[in-house]
Amino acid sequence: GTDDVWIKIRKRAIYGLCLGISALPLCFNSNLWILFAAHVSLCISASVFLGVANPTGNARSEESLKFSLATILVLFLI
């Protein structure tokens, strides 16, 4: 919660990075590193875009969309 856009971007990027890295243990068994990199970049970009631009209008749909995007590629790592 700040008015400075760069602080928002930095916080959302760190949050998206943490979401993306959480799938790292699955990558050790599957060796799908390119898919893991795509997952991390999707998590970071979705978190930054949805957090800063707020295109949905309410927080519930934004969080649902963010977590749907954060878990869709994890299914392919299993």
Side-chain angles (χ1 to χ4, degrees), residues 7-52:
I7 293 175
K8 280 185 183 181
I9 291 173
R10 186 179 70 203
K11 286 182 179 182
R12 296 294 181 158
I14 291 171
Y15 180 70
L17 181 65
C18 291
L19 274 177
I21 288 179
S22 67
L24 185 63
L26 297 174
C27 228
F28 290 130
N29 290 332
S30 64
N31 288 326
L32 297 171
W33 295 102
I34 295 173
L35 185 62
F36 176 71
H39 168 69
V40 171
S41 64
L42 177 66
C43 286
I44 292 172
S45 61
S47 179
V48 169
F49 176 71
L50 293 173
V52 176

Side-chain angles (χ1 to χ4, degrees), residues 37-77:
H39 168 69
V40 171
S41 64
L42 177 66
C43 286
I44 292 172
S45 61
S47 179
V48 169
F49 176 71
L50 293 173
V52 176
N54 295 326
T56 59
N58 65 14
R60 180 180 294 167
S61 59
E62 176 188 333
E63 291 295 323
S64 299
L65 181 60
K66 186 184 338 178
F67 287 118
S68 296
L69 290 172
T71 58
I72 195 158
L73 290 180
V74 175
L75 299 173
F76 295 103
L77 288 173

